[in-house]
Amino acid sequence: MSDQQEHDERNKIEWMGIDGFLCFLFVFLSAFIGYCLINNVDVVIGKVIPYGIALATTAIFIKYLTEVIGFSKGTMKD
Amino acid sequence: MLNGVDNAVILIVLVAVVSIGFYFSKSVNDMESYYLANRSLPWSLVVGTLMASWYGGVGVIGTVGYASVFGLASWFLWSIGAHGVRFPLALWVGPRIHVRSDVTIPDVLRNTYGKWISVIGAVFLFVYCSQVGEITATGIIGEAAWGIDKVLLGAIIVAITIVLTVLGGLMGVAVTDMIFFLFMVLSVSLVFPHIYAQVGGLQGIRDATAADLSYMHPVAGMSVPKATMLILLCINVYADPTFYQRFSASNSARTGRRAMLTCFSIWICFDIITMIAGFIVHITNPDKAPELAYIEMVLDNLPQGFRALFIIGLFGAIISTLDSYYLIGGTTLAKDIYGQLSGKEISDKKLVNLSRVGAVVLGIIGLSLAFRFTLVYDAIAFMSSLWMSVAFAPVLMALMYKGKKTPMAGMLSMIVGCVAFALAKIYPVTIPGFGELEPLLLGLPLSFLFWFIGNQIGADINADKLIIS
């Protein structure tokens, strides 16, 4: 197997895995938010989405902090 | 306006973030570590730096401004459409970039069309990297926060950006990007429920805009040409240098792809917050510039100290975008313009130092141009349209077209795209029933057409090489 084929195999899109889920998530969020906008669902637009984004970003930030600390230790050693 | 406590918080946070950039400068010892962070960025850093560098000051206050004018259609047509057209980029185009050894756009152009097409592309890329719209945005924020001179504030922001870029390279940029982005998202998101409730939610907005039924209609508020134009500008990301850099710097193609797919879902949610904020300022401050009214409204609704974090978040978003482009622009000047024209082998150390000089030059160019534009979006639309008319077709075809690609295809595509854009800008064309033709809508199709015409002339310079498909 060539390097290119190995690379392609390793990075294949997993439609039934995380890649497919992330694609579906975008479609779902678009349809769900659209429904809420048309039908005046204030609890979703006014609370769930802003607090949800704040939580998601904070979670990514925490993961980022743990990785940056480990990452910086690695790069400083080099 | 901000008070002494707010200003003290801003100063402390800025010193802390610049120190972090300085700390990471210690890991920069060659071009690979400066520009690509040794191709080792994990998922969380790629997500953070993608979100922060693409959702700049224009992304926040520009979206508020546009949504206040076009209403609900902004989200249904522009937001969904803009992110939707980027899916092929994350799924198929990005992974192809990651596997290539040519990691910058001029690299791709040189390897496909030859040295001179690459140098021309690099010059346009360098100008595009000045990102004058972001500096223009600092004027609006500074006026709302302190009422100070916009040129002075622009100079301070550019100076901070240059320090971060010059010191840390991509690693410093990626690390500080995420901190700024967190402040911005938290302040914008957490103040939103309060201002949303104040106007009575969606029904309150509908009642206040009842005189114009199209405003809260899912599609009626924005004309088809306008929506087409905005979505077209969003596919600019296919030829955006920061995307190429981030994808190449991620620790695998899979990481880059998943980071970008994650960003789409976060962006579509964040868009609705900024857009509804635009609707709110449309009904609460109809006579004021929406961007200015939004910042003042948020400052009025946040306690002291927290207001500082909002302003840091906004300026951080601007700095995040600017430092990303300054890093790429500086590298372009050093490696792709000076390096290619000199024809000499340049050491890594000299390349890094020249890149730093390039970042300073970009800051000076940006400052001298930024305040010639009255509206933030005018500056962004001009730069993006010009860059797309020149480079979008040759770059995309170089990456995705599997057949022969000749230097003449790249040359004709760039020249015709540029000339068509310039002519349509200087001599505006109005089409009955369609309105004024945006220069990009002429330049881009002609650039593609002449790519195919030019591709019939000459030979493929890679005909005898193994082509990775």
Side-chain angles (χ1 to χ4, degrees):
Chain A
M1 194 184 273
S2 71
D3 288 350
Q4 179 60 33
Q5 282 172 318
E6 268 182 49
H7 177 276
D8 288 349
E9 193 59 37
R10 206 169 48 245
N11 292 294
K12 220 167 104 180
I13 299 170
E14 292 174 13
W15 289 113
M16 298 307 291
I18 294 176
D19 299 317
F21 167 74
L22 289 170
C23 292
F24 171 77
L25 184 64
F26 176 80
V27 175
F28 170 78
L29 285 172
S30 301
F32 181 62
I33 294 171
Y35 172 85
C36 294
L37 285 170
I38 291 167
N39 294 286
N40 293 354
V41 187
D42 284 334
V43 69
V44 171
I45 303 296
K47 290 199 182 342
V48 173
I49 291 176
Y51 291 135
I53 289 183
L55 275 176
T57 309
T58 306
I60 293 171
F61 184 73
I62 290 167
K63 181 160 176 54
Y64 146 95
L65 277 182
T66 59
E67 285 182 335
V68 162
I69 291 165
F71 194 92
S72 66
K73 282 176 184 167
T75 51
M76 294 307 158
K77 278 178 193 168
D78 291 340
Chain B
M1 289 220 189
L2 301 179
N3 61 23
V5 174
D6 296 318
N7 291 329
V9 172
I10 289 174
L11 197 64
I12 292 166
V13 173
L14 276 180
V15 169
V17 173
V18 171
S19 304
I20 290 169
F22 178 72
Y23 174 78
F24 279 97
S25 70
K26 292 172 189 168
S27 67
V28 174
N29 43 34
D30 59 21
M31 201 59 191
E32 181 101 340
S33 60
Y34 181 73
Y35 189 74
L36 291 177
N38 291 318
R39 291 176 181 262
S40 55
L41 291 189
W43 172 83
S44 63
L45 258 77
V46 184
V47 169
T49 193
L50 277 175
M51 290 199 298
S53 58
W54 284 355
Y55 225 114
V58 174
V60 179
I61 61 171
T63 303
V64 169
Y66 251 46
S68 77
V69 174
F70 296 108
L72 201 52
S74 312
W75 189 81
F76 278 94
L77 293 179
W78 181 24
S79 184
I80 293 180
H83 300 310
V85 297
R86 291 168 174 166
F87 267 82
L89 180 70
L91 292 169
W92 296 289
V93 181
R96 275 176 186 253
I97 294 163
H98 190 272
V99 77
R100 294 174 73 109
S101 58
D102 41 7
V103 294
T104 68
I105 288 178
D107 280 345
V108 172
L109 292 173
R110 181 174 54 252
N111 291 345
T112 310
Y113 307 110
K115 175 181 166 182
W116 290 107
I117 311 294
S118 170
V119 172
I120 295 169
V123 170
F124 278 98
L125 178 62
F126 184 70
V127 174
Y128 174 69
C129 284
S130 62
Q131 293 289 307
V132 291
E134 298 290 339
I135 304 173
T136 313
T138 60
I140 292 170
I141 302 168
E143 191 183 342
W146 298 285
I148 63 169
D149 180 61
K150 57 190 179 185
V151 179
L152 173 67
L153 190 63
I156 294 169
I157 293 298
V158 166
I160 294 168
T161 305
I162 288 171
V163 169
L164 284 177
T165 313
V166 163
L167 286 180
L170 179 58
M171 197 59 218
V173 166
V175 170
T176 53
D177 271 1
M178 188 69 211
I179 300 169
F180 285 137
F181 189 71
L182 180 78
F183 288 146
M184 187 190 74
V185 171
L186 288 186
S187 51
V188 169
S189 301
L190 295 180
V191 81
F192 179 77
H194 183 60
I195 59 173
Y196 182 77
Q198 276 182 335
V199 295
L202 282 168
Q203 191 55 52
I205 298 172
R206 282 186 209 285
D207 292 343
T209 57
D212 178 9
L213 289 177
S214 68
Y215 194 80
M216 287 303 281
H217 187 278
V219 294
M222 185 178 278
S223 67
V224 174
K226 191 74 189 175
T228 309
M229 166 66 186
L230 288 173
I231 292 171
L232 210 52
L233 275 182
C234 289
I235 63 170
N236 180 37
V237 73
Y238 282 78
D240 188 284
T242 58
F243 166 75
Y244 283 69
Q245 184 197 34
R246 299 315 198 257
F247 232 101
S248 300
S250 58
N251 60 21
S252 75
R254 179 184 287 179
T255 297
R257 179 175 65 230
R258 289 179 181 171
M260 197 166 184
L261 291 174
T262 306
C263 286
F264 291 148
S265 290
I266 297 173
W267 282 330
I268 198 81
C269 293
F270 196 62
D271 281 351
I272 196 60
I273 294 177
T274 51
M275 286 181 177
I276 291 182
F279 308 163
I280 294 171
V281 293
H282 173 77
I283 59 177
T284 56
N285 278 291
D287 300 324
K288 214 166 197 175
E291 297 95 338
L292 188 61
Y294 171 67
I295 295 165
E296 288 178 349
M297 180 174 70
V298 174
L299 292 180
D300 288 344
N301 281 281
L302 281 174
Q304 68 172 2
F306 284 95
R307 287 186 304 218
L309 294 184
F310 172 66
I311 292 298
I312 291 171
L314 277 182
F315 278 126
I318 289 171
I319 291 170
S320 295
T321 304
L322 278 179
D323 62 17
S324 298
Y325 283 96
Y326 282 10
L327 177 66
I328 288 164
T331 309
T332 300
L333 183 69
K335 180 172 163 282
D336 302 309
I337 299 175
Y338 177 80
Q340 288 198 75
L341 290 178
S342 71
K344 296 176 196 163
E345 192 69 31
I346 304 171
S347 68
D348 258 13
K349 193 178 175 185
K350 192 172 180 186
L351 271 179
V352 171
N353 287 335
L354 279 171
S355 297
R356 288 167 170 162
V357 172
V360 176
V361 173
L362 274 175
I364 294 167
I365 292 173
L367 265 181
S368 60
L369 291 177
F371 300 111
R372 294 174 192 270
F373 292 93
T374 311
L375 293 172
V376 172
Y377 197 78
D378 286 347
I380 286 292
F382 178 81
M383 286 293 186
S384 298
S385 298
L386 174 62
W387 171 241
M388 277 189 80
S389 297
V390 173
F392 186 82
V395 169
L396 193 70
M397 297 311 273
L399 286 170
M400 301 307 289
Y401 187 71
K402 288 183 179 175
K404 88 164 185 181
K405 297 177 274 283
T406 70
M408 188 56 77
M411 179 69 84
L412 279 185
S413 175
M414 279 188 170
I415 291 173
V416 172
C418 182
V419 170
F421 174 87
L423 288 176
K425 195 78 190 169
I426 297 165
Y427 308 106
V429 180
T430 302
I431 300 173
F434 187 81
E436 191 176 305
L437 185 67
E438 293 283 351
L440 177 63
L441 298 183
L442 184 68
L444 191 59
L446 283 177
S447 179
F448 270 108
L449 175 66
F450 276 82
W451 188 92
F452 282 104
I453 292 172
N455 208 35
Q456 305 308 311
I457 305 165
D460 190 332
I461 60 171
N462 291 307
D464 57 342
K465 293 179 186 171
L466 175 66
I467 299 171
I468 298 171
S469 60

